[in-house]
Amino acid sequence: MSTPPLFLVPELGDRVLLDGPEGRHAAAVKRIRVGEVVQLSDGRGAVARAEAVVVGKDTVEFAVRSRTEVPAPAVRITLAQALIKGDRAELAVETATEAGVDAIVPWRAARCVAKWEQGPRGEKALAKWRSTVREAAKQARRPWVPAVAEPASTKELAAFAGRVLVLHESAPSVLRAGDLPPSGEVLLVVGPEGGIADEELELLVGAGARVVRLGPEVLRASTAAAVALGAIGALGDRWCDRAHGGPTV
């Protein structure tokens, strides 16, 4: 039996009208019918089991039957993803979202081929990342939709208040459970196709970052984050924490 589809809404009440793009998707694409049960989420941890009671051409009204509050994980992972050229950028943030990342920071690394300039082009690229993350969160049935921040510099990454893990194929040690704190913030840094520049690595390490690798293979910039998040899920308690929601109300 498949998991009911999830739709994102601004707020969860006793009755929820799904309109706009979500409503059209539910009515015209998913073909939700009266009596069908789906999941609704505000993207901030609240998830409801809801039954369709009125279906229009491009709207669906739901009656909420039960509600669950899913707490945020004890260890919160923010991905600093270096800008990647072409469709691989969307692949990187899509798979990272499906793998459970909590937030994403586009990183303007020195060796990035892609450049997000100030103005409409940069805003369009950022909007694409945010749209990709939102759709991936729905696909993965995630109660928390990762926030995508404004692009950051290496200096800004070095000022991160928490554990910083830099993925690098030349690191002397692999990622281990001991690299993860029992709680708090973790910044996972993934470099561009051309690799992390020496001066960037020195700046991050000088600020307290740990440099680790995932194994003997060299991963692409577009897939490294998803593999790392899978390893973190298995090494720590994040998968256990998210296996069950909170109390139903």
Side-chain angles (χ1 to χ4, degrees):
M1 183 176 180
S2 62
T3 304
L6 183 142
F7 298 95
L8 293 172
V9 297
E11 300 290 340
L12 284 175
D14 294 335
R15 303 275 287 214
V16 177
L17 177 64
L18 206 62
D19 56 8
E22 287 287 81
R24 286 191 292 275
H25 184 72
V29 179
K30 302 299 278 186
R31 298 183 181 276
I32 300 297
R33 297 292 180 257
V34 172
E36 191 168 345
V37 174
V38 304
Q39 297 179 87
L40 302 177
S41 175
D42 62 1
R44 301 183 297 276
V47 182
R49 177 181 176 275
E51 179 182 346
V53 291
V54 180
V55 177
K57 181 180 179 181
D58 54 7
T59 61
V60 182
E61 186 176 358
F62 293 95
V64 171
R65 302 306 187 197
S66 62
R67 175 172 167 157
T68 300
E69 296 290 340
V70 180
V75 178
R76 187 173 183 271
I77 309 294
T78 296
L79 167 65
Q81 174 67 59
L83 304 182
I84 307 173
K85 188 176 181 181
D87 294 341
R88 288 194 172 276
E90 281 73 53
L91 175 63
V93 297
E94 178 182 60
T95 54
T97 300
E98 293 175 359
V101 76
D102 298 298
I104 296 175
V105 178
W107 176 28
R108 287 193 172 110
R111 294 177 178 171
C112 286
V113 176
K115 303 295 182 182
W116 286 13
E117 305 299 339
Q118 297 289 343
R121 292 187 64 182
E123 293 171 1
K124 182 179 179 180
L126 181 59
K128 180 64 176 177
W129 277 35
R130 287 172 172 166
S131 175
T132 299
V133 165
R134 178 182 173 89
E135 293 305 310
K138 289 165 57 180
Q139 169 65 32
R141 314 298 199 266
R142 291 196 56 179
W144 289 89
V145 177
V148 181
E150 295 289 328
S153 65
T154 306
K155 185 176 180 180
E156 288 172 318
L157 298 189
F160 183 81
R163 181 72 51 84
V164 179
L165 301 175
V166 182
L167 298 185
H168 197 285
E169 68 272 14
S170 299
S173 61
V174 298
L175 177 65
R176 302 181 186 278
D179 294 317
L180 303 172
S183 62
E185 301 281 339
V186 172
L187 181 67
L188 180 69
V189 181
V190 175
E193 296 97 325
I196 301 175
D198 291 343
E199 58 272 20
E200 291 176 316
L201 198 59
E202 291 174 5
L203 179 60
L204 293 169
V205 171
R210 302 185 185 189
V211 183
V212 296
R213 56 184 169 83
L214 295 176
E217 293 80 18
V218 177
L219 299 172
R220 288 183 179 271
S222 55
T223 56
V227 175
L229 287 159
I232 290 171
L235 290 171
D237 296 327
R238 281 170 54 86
W239 285 354
C240 297
D241 290 344
R242 293 187 171 191
H244 303 285
T248 301
V249 295

